[in-house]
Amino acid sequence: MTTPPTGTAALIVNHAGQYLLHLRDDRPIAEPFTFAFLGGAPEDGESLQEAIVRELKEEAGLSIEDLRPFTVVDSPARRIQVFLGHWDGDAAALPLTEGVLLRWFDHAKLPDLRLAHGTREAIELHRARTVDVTSAGTTTAQQQPRRVTSRPRANRPPVPHAAVGVGIVVHRDGRVLLGRHRRGTHELPGGSVEPGESLPRTAVRELAEETGLTAREADVRLEGVLLDSVADVLRLTVVAVVTAWAGDACDQPGEPVGDWRWWPLDALPDGLFVPSAQCLTLWRPHLQVDHPPAHRYRLRQP
């Protein structure tokens, strides 16, 4: 009796005949630092189809309309149902939440990659079924321009030496939202970027966690970047302006910053947290706020 599959994966191909592959990280996972399809195991009560739709959304924000069962492959951990789908988009722009990177690869580049079990088997089956042979004896895939690949230098992450965070400006009627940290500084909402997050997603998450205000990523405008250092640690702070939100700012359980108030821009409190002060003067250069210098880079908005 054939063992039914208990895992899912998505073979996603674009109009150029390229395949979307995901480089796994070294967290507890089968075959770390290999290139594989997006996918995962079903949750309780989920069908395989429901599981792959959820996994694509969670891992990369993807929604594939024509996703359908394609083949079954074996991995060291389980049998995997591979689904086939088509998508033409910028893989580098997807909000990857797991792994190292997500890229399109030509079939000709696969021998250069360390692939997870079953990945090559599924791709070769797809090629055999769909590659169009022309009258000249060449294939559609062979006629596509070669794409240059990239890969990590080593199987270990770089040595940490930088902190990346977001300072969030929420303002209305000439006032800006500031809270008071338990150590006494006045600060904007904000915090560290978590692995796999986009900057707008970080801003939305931190705003909700610290103040209870809810916003959409589409309502976050990235204003600029600040670069300075504390001791030997580089600090990169992105200024994010939230243009629309819902709710009232209030103290949140377990958060070190509270007592949220709307402060007039011409009467800001003393004792601003340094990154918050830097964010405010990048956003509004006329503000009379003193702070240590930082390299400042304003971002052009589309």
Side-chain angles (χ1 to χ4, degrees):
M1 181 178 177
T2 303
T3 303
T6 57
T8 67
L11 190 165
I12 300 172
V13 62
N14 65 14
H15 74 283
Q18 296 171 320
Y19 297 94
L20 188 64
L21 296 178
H22 164 234
L23 178 58
R24 294 171 171 171
D25 54 26
D26 63 347
R27 73 189 184 96
I29 191 173
E31 300 181 278
F33 292 114
T34 57
F35 284 92
F37 303 132
L38 294 168
E43 295 181 349
D44 290 344
E46 273 188 331
S47 67
L48 294 175
Q49 183 85 31
E50 292 169 337
I52 192 59
V53 169
R54 173 184 52 78
E55 289 285 348
L56 290 177
K57 193 70 174 177
E58 290 179 353
E59 293 183 4
L62 267 174
S63 178
I64 308 296
E65 294 183 359
D66 65 343
L67 208 60
R68 59 181 177 81
F70 176 65
T71 189
V72 175
V73 297
D74 291 308
S75 75
R78 57 174 61 91
R79 302 200 81 204
I80 297 174
Q81 173 67 62
V82 179
F83 292 82
L84 174 64
H86 299 82
W87 181 70
D88 289 298
D90 181 2
L94 291 173
L96 185 65
T97 61
E98 294 183 11
V100 179
L101 59 83
L102 191 63
R103 293 291 185 272
W104 291 111
F105 289 96
D106 287 323
H107 177 263
K109 281 296 175 181
L110 297 186
D112 299 332
L113 306 179
R114 183 184 173 203
L115 299 175
H117 280 78
T119 305
R120 187 185 305 277
E121 176 186 344
I123 290 176
E124 295 301 338
L125 179 60
H126 177 259
R127 290 269 301 174
R129 291 183 182 179
T130 61
V131 171
D132 215 3
V133 179
T134 68
S135 59
T138 60
T139 65
T140 302
Q142 289 170 339
Q143 293 173 346
Q144 298 299 328
R146 186 184 72 85
R147 294 179 64 88
V148 177
T149 65
S150 62
R151 65 178 180 83
R153 183 182 297 149
N155 289 340
R156 297 186 303 274
V159 177
H161 70 292
V164 182
V166 171
I168 307 164
V169 177
V170 186
H171 65 100
R172 69 181 185 192
D173 303 326
R175 297 170 180 262
V176 67
L177 184 64
L178 295 172
R180 186 176 179 86
H181 195 280
R182 60 191 175 197
R183 294 184 179 178
T185 53
H186 289 88
E187 9 194 302
L188 298 168
S192 298
V193 180
E194 294 185 352
E197 277 189 329
S198 68
L199 294 170
R201 179 174 293 185
T202 299
V204 168
R205 174 183 55 78
E206 288 286 354
L207 185 65
E209 290 177 356
E210 293 191 346
T211 72
L213 297 178
T214 58
R216 303 178 307 158
E217 293 181 36
D219 295 322
V220 177
R221 184 180 75 244
L222 302 181
E223 193 81 8
V225 178
L226 297 154
L227 180 64
D228 66 351
S229 61
V230 180
D232 293 329
V233 178
L234 292 174
R235 180 169 58 189
L236 190 150
T237 307
V238 178
V239 184
V241 178
V242 174
T243 58
W245 64 89
D248 296 313
C250 59
D251 294 4
Q252 300 300 304
E255 290 295 322
V257 184
D259 191 20
W260 295 100
R261 301 183 186 180
W262 296 96
W263 290 84
L265 291 176
D266 58 359
L268 295 173
D270 287 321
L272 290 171
F273 181 45
V274 168
S276 293
Q278 294 169 332
C279 289
L280 287 169
T281 60
L282 185 146
W283 170 60
R284 291 289 186 266
H286 69 274
L287 292 175
Q288 301 300 303
V289 177
D290 293 327
H291 55 70
H295 298 290
R296 304 154 70 89
Y297 308 92
R298 294 193 69 88
L299 299 177
R300 293 182 178 179
Q301 298 300 317

